[in-house]
Protein backbone atom coordinates (compact mmCIF):
# COMPACT_ATOMS: atom_id res chain seq x y z
CA UNK A 1 0.00 0.00 0.00
CA UNK A 2 1.36 3.41 -0.94
CA UNK A 3 0.36 6.23 1.32
CA UNK A 4 0.37 9.63 -0.40
CA UNK A 5 1.32 12.66 1.62
CA UNK A 6 0.45 16.32 1.46
CA UNK A 7 3.32 18.82 1.00
CA UNK A 8 3.62 19.68 4.70
CA UNK A 9 3.68 16.03 5.75
CA UNK A 10 6.35 15.33 3.13
CA UNK A 11 8.67 17.99 4.54
CA UNK A 12 8.09 16.76 8.10
CA UNK A 13 8.89 13.19 7.07
CA UNK A 14 12.10 14.29 5.31
CA UNK A 15 13.31 16.15 8.39
CA UNK A 16 12.38 13.29 10.68
CA UNK A 17 14.16 10.64 8.57
CA UNK A 18 17.31 12.72 7.99
CA UNK A 19 17.61 13.12 11.77
CA UNK A 20 17.41 9.36 12.42
CA UNK A 21 21.06 8.80 11.58
CA UNK A 22 22.38 12.19 12.68
CA UNK A 23 25.23 11.91 15.23
CA UNK A 24 24.96 8.15 15.00
CA UNK A 25 27.73 6.55 17.04
CA UNK A 26 28.93 3.22 15.75
CA UNK A 27 28.32 0.53 18.35
CA UNK A 28 31.68 -0.68 19.66
CA UNK A 29 33.54 2.65 19.35
CA UNK A 30 33.67 3.01 23.15
CA UNK A 31 35.44 -0.33 23.53
CA UNK A 32 38.21 0.76 21.13
CA UNK A 33 38.72 3.92 23.18
CA UNK A 34 38.89 1.82 26.35
CA UNK A 35 41.40 -0.64 24.87
CA UNK A 36 43.92 2.06 23.96
CA UNK A 37 43.08 4.28 26.93
CA UNK A 38 43.75 1.59 29.52
CA UNK A 39 46.81 0.34 27.64
CA UNK A 40 48.42 3.80 27.36
CA UNK A 41 47.47 4.77 30.93
CA UNK A 42 48.68 1.45 32.38
CA UNK A 43 51.99 1.56 30.51
CA UNK A 44 52.57 5.25 31.34
CA UNK A 45 51.99 4.80 35.07
CA UNK A 46 53.94 1.51 34.99
CA UNK A 47 56.90 3.17 33.26
CA UNK A 48 56.77 6.12 35.66
CA UNK A 49 56.81 3.86 38.77
CA UNK A 50 59.33 1.37 37.36
CA UNK A 51 61.79 4.05 36.29
CA UNK A 52 61.73 5.46 39.85
CA UNK A 53 62.22 2.02 41.43
CA UNK A 54 64.99 0.78 39.12
CA UNK A 55 68.64 1.73 39.82
CA UNK A 56 69.65 4.93 38.04
CA UNK A 57 71.87 3.15 35.48
CA UNK A 58 69.02 0.94 34.28
CA UNK A 59 66.08 3.33 34.85
CA UNK A 60 65.54 3.86 31.14
CA UNK A 61 64.91 0.13 30.68
CA UNK A 62 61.45 0.87 32.09
CA UNK A 63 60.58 2.37 28.70
CA UNK A 64 60.73 -1.09 27.18
CA UNK A 65 57.26 -1.47 28.68
CA UNK A 66 56.02 0.54 25.69
CA UNK A 67 56.56 -2.49 23.47
CA UNK A 68 53.45 -3.90 25.21
CA UNK A 69 51.48 -1.54 22.96
CA UNK A 70 51.87 -4.12 20.18
CA UNK A 71 49.56 -6.44 22.14
CA UNK A 72 46.76 -3.95 21.57
CA UNK A 73 46.89 -4.36 17.76
CA UNK A 74 45.21 -7.82 17.42
CA UNK A 75 42.49 -6.80 19.93
CA UNK A 76 41.99 -3.56 18.00
CA UNK A 77 41.39 -5.41 14.72
CA UNK A 78 39.12 -7.90 16.47
CA UNK A 79 37.01 -5.01 17.86
CA UNK A 80 36.94 -3.31 14.44
CA UNK A 81 35.77 -6.53 12.77
CA UNK A 82 33.06 -7.00 15.40
CA UNK A 83 31.93 -3.39 14.93
CA UNK A 84 31.82 -3.82 11.15
CA UNK A 85 29.61 -6.90 11.50
CA UNK A 86 27.18 -5.05 13.77
CA UNK A 87 27.12 -1.84 11.74
CA UNK A 88 23.77 -1.11 10.10
CA UNK A 89 24.42 2.38 8.83
CA UNK A 90 27.35 4.59 7.96
CA UNK A 91 26.93 8.33 8.07
CA UNK A 92 29.18 10.83 6.28
CA UNK A 93 30.53 11.91 9.69
CA UNK A 94 31.51 8.34 10.53
CA UNK A 95 33.26 7.95 7.20
CA UNK A 96 35.17 11.19 7.75
CA UNK A 97 36.06 10.23 11.35
CA UNK A 98 37.38 6.90 10.16
CA UNK A 99 39.89 8.74 7.97
CA UNK A 100 40.76 11.18 10.77
CA UNK A 101 41.71 8.25 13.05
CA UNK A 102 43.61 6.49 10.26
CA UNK A 103 45.48 9.77 9.68
CA UNK A 104 46.13 10.01 13.43
CA UNK A 105 47.54 6.45 13.52
CA UNK A 106 49.81 7.15 10.55
CA UNK A 107 51.05 10.37 12.24
CA UNK A 108 51.83 8.45 15.45
CA UNK A 109 53.66 5.76 13.47
CA UNK A 110 55.70 8.31 11.50
CA UNK A 111 56.84 10.02 14.73
CA UNK A 112 57.60 6.82 16.70
CA UNK A 113 59.20 4.83 13.86
CA UNK A 114 61.10 7.94 12.72
CA UNK A 115 62.53 8.47 16.22
CA UNK A 116 63.36 4.79 16.67
CA UNK A 117 65.23 4.64 13.35
CA UNK A 118 66.94 7.94 14.05
CA UNK A 119 68.07 6.65 17.45
CA UNK A 120 69.51 3.49 15.91
CA UNK A 121 71.38 5.52 13.29
CA UNK A 122 72.53 8.14 15.82
CA UNK A 123 73.66 5.56 18.36
CA UNK A 124 75.78 3.92 15.66
CA UNK A 125 77.20 7.27 14.58
CA UNK A 126 77.83 8.54 18.13
CA UNK A 127 79.45 5.30 19.30
CA UNK A 128 81.81 5.41 16.30
CA UNK A 129 82.81 9.04 16.58
CA UNK A 130 82.74 9.23 20.42
CA UNK A 131 82.52 13.00 20.40
CA UNK A 132 81.01 13.11 23.83
CA UNK A 133 78.03 15.19 22.65
CA UNK A 134 75.68 12.25 22.58
CA UNK A 135 72.87 14.35 24.08
CA UNK A 136 71.29 14.44 20.61
CA UNK A 137 70.97 10.68 20.93
CA UNK A 138 68.33 10.96 23.64
CA UNK A 139 67.15 14.57 23.55
CA UNK A 140 64.59 13.94 20.79
CA UNK A 141 62.80 11.46 23.08
CA UNK A 142 61.89 14.31 25.42
CA UNK A 143 59.75 15.69 22.59
CA UNK A 144 57.89 12.44 21.98
CA UNK A 145 55.28 12.73 24.77
CA UNK A 146 54.27 16.36 24.06
CA UNK A 147 54.01 15.57 20.33
CA UNK A 148 51.88 12.48 21.08
CA UNK A 149 49.62 14.47 23.38
CA UNK A 150 49.17 17.12 20.70
CA UNK A 151 48.14 14.41 18.20
CA UNK A 152 45.76 12.85 20.79
CA UNK A 153 44.27 16.28 21.41
CA UNK A 154 43.68 16.87 17.71
CA UNK A 155 41.94 13.52 17.05
CA UNK A 156 39.84 13.69 20.23
CA UNK A 157 38.81 17.31 19.74
CA UNK A 158 37.75 16.77 16.10
CA UNK A 159 35.85 13.55 16.98
CA UNK A 160 34.10 15.19 19.92
CA UNK A 161 32.98 18.15 17.81
CA UNK A 162 31.85 15.92 14.91
CA UNK A 163 29.81 13.58 17.14
CA UNK A 164 28.73 16.48 19.39
CA UNK A 165 30.01 14.46 22.34
CA UNK A 166 31.40 16.81 25.01
CA UNK A 167 33.57 14.34 27.01
CA UNK A 168 35.72 13.80 23.90
CA UNK A 169 36.06 17.56 23.36
CA UNK A 170 37.08 18.05 27.01
CA UNK A 171 39.52 15.11 26.76
CA UNK A 172 41.04 16.69 23.64
CA UNK A 173 41.43 20.07 25.35
CA UNK A 174 43.09 18.41 28.39
CA UNK A 175 45.56 16.71 26.01
CA UNK A 176 46.33 20.05 24.32
CA UNK A 177 47.01 21.70 27.70
CA UNK A 178 49.12 18.73 28.84
CA UNK A 179 51.14 18.91 25.61
CA UNK A 180 51.68 22.66 25.96
CA UNK A 181 52.68 22.24 29.61
CA UNK A 182 55.18 19.46 28.81
CA UNK A 183 56.87 21.50 26.07
CA UNK A 184 57.55 24.13 28.72
CA UNK A 185 58.91 21.68 31.28
CA UNK A 186 61.39 19.91 28.98
CA UNK A 187 64.38 21.52 30.78
CA UNK A 188 63.33 20.33 34.27
CA UNK A 189 65.21 17.56 36.08
CA UNK A 190 63.33 14.25 36.18
CA UNK A 191 61.03 15.37 33.39
CA UNK A 192 60.92 11.88 31.83
CA UNK A 193 59.09 10.41 34.84
CA UNK A 194 56.83 13.42 35.01
CA UNK A 195 55.99 13.16 31.28
CA UNK A 196 54.89 9.55 31.77
CA UNK A 197 52.66 10.55 34.66
CA UNK A 198 51.04 13.39 32.66
CA UNK A 199 50.58 11.06 29.67
CA UNK A 200 48.81 8.53 31.92
CA UNK A 201 46.48 11.16 33.35
CA UNK A 202 45.73 12.48 29.83
CA UNK A 203 44.96 8.96 28.56
CA UNK A 204 42.45 8.56 31.41
CA UNK A 205 40.88 11.97 30.65
CA UNK A 206 40.92 11.61 26.87
CA UNK A 207 40.20 7.91 26.31
CA UNK A 208 39.17 6.00 29.46
CA UNK A 209 36.49 8.35 30.83
CA UNK A 210 34.96 9.24 27.39
CA UNK A 211 35.23 5.52 26.46
CA UNK A 212 33.08 4.46 29.42
CA UNK A 213 30.62 7.29 28.70
CA UNK A 214 30.47 6.27 25.01
CA UNK A 215 29.77 2.68 26.03
CA UNK A 216 26.88 3.81 28.22
CA UNK A 217 25.55 6.05 25.42
CA UNK A 218 25.75 3.23 22.84
CA UNK A 219 23.96 0.89 25.27
CA UNK A 220 21.18 3.45 25.79
CA UNK A 221 20.81 3.93 22.01
CA UNK A 222 20.12 0.22 21.42
CA UNK B 1 3.79 28.51 -10.48
CA UNK B 2 3.57 25.00 -8.99
CA UNK B 3 6.25 22.54 -9.97
CA UNK B 4 5.33 18.91 -10.59
CA UNK B 5 6.08 16.53 -7.73
CA UNK B 6 8.03 13.40 -8.70
CA UNK B 7 5.42 10.62 -8.27
CA UNK B 8 8.14 8.13 -7.41
CA UNK B 9 9.18 10.17 -4.37
CA UNK B 10 5.71 11.41 -3.44
CA UNK B 11 4.85 8.32 -1.45
CA UNK B 12 5.44 7.93 2.27
CA UNK B 13 7.75 4.91 2.34
CA UNK B 14 9.83 5.74 -0.74
CA UNK B 15 10.32 9.31 0.48
CA UNK B 16 11.35 8.01 3.91
CA UNK B 17 13.91 5.66 2.31
CA UNK B 18 15.39 8.40 0.13
CA UNK B 19 15.49 10.81 3.10
CA UNK B 20 17.44 8.30 5.22
CA UNK B 21 19.87 7.63 2.38
CA UNK B 22 20.41 11.33 1.63
CA UNK B 23 21.86 11.75 5.15
CA UNK B 24 24.00 8.62 5.13
CA UNK B 25 26.85 7.12 3.14
CA UNK B 26 25.07 3.74 3.15
CA UNK B 27 22.35 2.03 5.17
CA UNK B 28 21.44 -1.58 5.80
CA UNK B 29 17.98 -2.90 4.88
CA UNK B 30 17.38 -3.75 8.57
CA UNK B 31 18.22 -0.19 9.64
CA UNK B 32 15.82 1.31 7.06
CA UNK B 33 13.07 -1.14 8.04
CA UNK B 34 13.44 -0.22 11.74
CA UNK B 35 13.51 3.53 11.12
CA UNK B 36 10.56 3.51 8.71
CA UNK B 37 8.58 1.00 10.82
CA UNK B 38 7.65 -0.85 7.62
CA UNK B 39 7.29 -4.53 6.78
CA UNK B 40 10.12 -6.33 4.99
CA UNK B 41 7.89 -7.22 2.04
CA UNK B 42 6.60 -3.70 1.42
CA UNK B 43 10.05 -2.18 1.89
CA UNK B 44 11.58 -4.63 -0.60
CA UNK B 45 9.02 -3.63 -3.23
CA UNK B 46 9.60 0.12 -2.70
CA UNK B 47 13.39 -0.26 -2.69
CA UNK B 48 13.19 -2.18 -5.97
CA UNK B 49 11.13 0.66 -7.52
CA UNK B 50 13.74 3.21 -6.43
CA UNK B 51 16.54 0.99 -7.73
CA UNK B 52 14.82 0.55 -11.12
CA UNK B 53 14.51 4.32 -11.42
CA UNK B 54 18.26 4.62 -10.77
CA UNK B 55 17.72 6.63 -7.57
CA UNK B 56 19.50 4.15 -5.33
CA UNK B 57 21.99 1.32 -5.70
CA UNK B 58 21.51 -1.95 -3.83
CA UNK B 59 24.33 -4.28 -2.91
CA UNK B 60 23.73 -7.80 -1.65
CA UNK B 61 26.47 -9.48 0.36
CA UNK B 62 26.99 -11.80 3.33
CA UNK B 63 27.80 -10.86 6.92
CA UNK B 64 29.13 -14.18 8.16
CA UNK B 65 26.36 -16.54 7.10
CA UNK B 66 23.65 -13.88 7.16
CA UNK B 67 22.63 -12.15 3.91
CA UNK B 68 23.00 -8.40 3.96
CA UNK B 69 21.43 -5.74 1.76
CA UNK B 70 23.09 -2.34 1.66
CA UNK B 71 21.49 0.68 0.00
CA UNK B 72 23.15 3.86 -1.24
CA UNK B 73 21.70 6.91 -2.92
CA UNK B 74 23.00 7.62 -6.46
CA UNK B 75 23.76 11.05 -8.02
CA UNK B 76 20.45 10.70 -9.95
CA UNK B 77 18.69 10.08 -6.63
CA UNK B 78 20.29 13.14 -5.04
CA UNK B 79 19.24 15.28 -8.00
CA UNK B 80 15.67 13.90 -7.92
CA UNK B 81 15.46 14.53 -4.16
CA UNK B 82 16.65 18.13 -4.56
CA UNK B 83 14.10 18.76 -7.31
CA UNK B 84 11.37 17.20 -5.16
CA UNK B 85 12.22 19.45 -2.17
CA UNK B 86 12.29 22.48 -4.51
CA UNK B 87 8.87 21.54 -5.83
CA UNK B 88 7.53 21.13 -2.27
CA UNK B 89 8.70 24.64 -1.42
CA UNK B 90 6.89 26.01 -4.47
CA UNK B 91 3.66 24.55 -3.07
CA UNK B 92 4.23 25.88 0.43
CA UNK B 93 5.43 29.35 -0.59
CA UNK B 94 3.63 30.09 -3.87
CA UNK B 95 4.74 33.34 -5.59
Amino acid sequence: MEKLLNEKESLELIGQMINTAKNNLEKGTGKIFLLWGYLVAGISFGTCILSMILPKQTAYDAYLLWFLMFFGIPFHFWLIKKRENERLVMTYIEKLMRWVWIGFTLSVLVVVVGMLLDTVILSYFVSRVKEGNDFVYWFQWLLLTPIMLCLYGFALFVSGKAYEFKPLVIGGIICFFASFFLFFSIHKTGVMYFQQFVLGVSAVAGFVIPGHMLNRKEYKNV
Amino acid sequence: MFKELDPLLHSQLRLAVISILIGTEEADFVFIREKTASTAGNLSVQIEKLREAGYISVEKSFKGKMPRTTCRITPAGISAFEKYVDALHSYLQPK
Side-chain angles (χ1 to χ4, degrees), chain A residues 29-42:
Chain A
T29 304
K31 289 192 181 85
I32 298 172
F33 271 83
L34 289 177
L35 167 71
W36 292 110
Y38 275 117
L39 206 54
V40 170

Side-chain angles (χ1 to χ4, degrees), chain A residues 60-217:
Chain A
Y60 289 122
D61 289 351
Y63 287 86
L64 292 173
L65 275 180
W66 280 102
F67 283 100
L68 289 174
M69 286 291 279
F70 287 109
F71 285 103
I73 296 170
F75 290 106
H76 175 84
F77 284 107
W78 178 70
L79 287 172
I80 291 276
K81 199 182 166 197
K82 203 166 163 250
R83 189 178 71 173
E84 279 306 296
N85 282 340
E86 288 173 5
R87 184 170 60 80
L88 289 177
V89 64
M90 182 185 271
T91 61
Y92 293 110
I93 286 179
E94 282 163 346
K95 195 185 173 194
L96 183 67
M97 281 305 103
R98 185 170 286 196
W99 288 111
V100 166
W101 282 98
I102 288 173
F104 161 81
T105 310
L106 290 175
S107 308
V108 168
L109 283 176
V110 165
V111 173
V112 174
V113 174
M115 281 193 183
L116 277 171
L117 284 179
D118 193 35
T119 303
V120 171
I121 293 164
L122 270 176
S123 68
Y124 175 74
F125 178 76
V126 169
S127 64
R128 267 172 66 101
V129 178
K130 293 201 185 302
E131 283 179 334
N133 60 344
D134 57 345
F135 73 95
V136 278
Y137 169 75
W138 55 264
F139 179 76
Q140 58 180 339
W141 289 97
L142 288 176
L143 297 170
L144 180 64
T145 311
I147 291 172
M148 283 296 137
L149 281 170
C150 197
L151 292 173
Y152 285 1
F154 170 76
L156 290 167
F157 185 78
V158 172
S159 299
K161 282 288 177 192
Y163 289 127
E164 292 177 20
F165 190 60
K166 239 185 196 164
L168 283 177
V169 178
I170 295 168
I173 291 171
I174 289 173
C175 287
F176 280 139
F177 270 109
S179 170
F180 196 71
F181 179 61
L182 288 185
F183 272 119
F184 274 91
S185 56
I186 272 179
H187 60 285
K188 300 263 188 209
T189 319
V191 70
M192 295 291 269
Y193 317 132
F194 184 59
Q195 282 190 344
Q196 293 299 304
F197 176 75
V198 172
L199 180 60
V201 172
S202 304
V204 171
F207 289 87
V208 175
I209 296 171
H212 279 294
M213 292 170 96
L214 270 175
N215 256 354
R216 208 179 312 153
K217 197 177 175 196

Side-chain angles (χ1 to χ4, degrees), chain A residues 1-5 7 10-11 13-14 17-18 20-21 84-85 87-92 95, chain B residues 10-12 14-16 19-20 22 24-28 31 35 49 63 68 81 84 88 91-92:
Chain A
M1 269 290 282
E2 287 186 33
K3 188 187 168 194
L4 292 176
L5 305 159
E7 293 73 26
S10 290
L11 277 179
L13 178 69
I14 291 168
M17 287 297 121
I18 286 176
T20 55
E84 279 306 296
N85 282 340
R87 184 170 60 80
L88 289 177
V89 64
M90 182 185 271
T91 61
Y92 293 110
K95 195 185 173 194
Chain B
H10 199 55
S11 108
Q12 190 181 27
R14 288 195 296 268
L15 183 60
S19 303
I20 288 173
I22 199 94
T24 57
E25 168 79 9
E26 58 179 45
D28 193 278
F31 179 84
K35 297 298 174 187
K49 283 185 185 174
K63 191 165 47 176
R68 177 181 194 172
F81 180 79
Y84 179 79
L88 278 183
Y91 278 89
L92 293 168

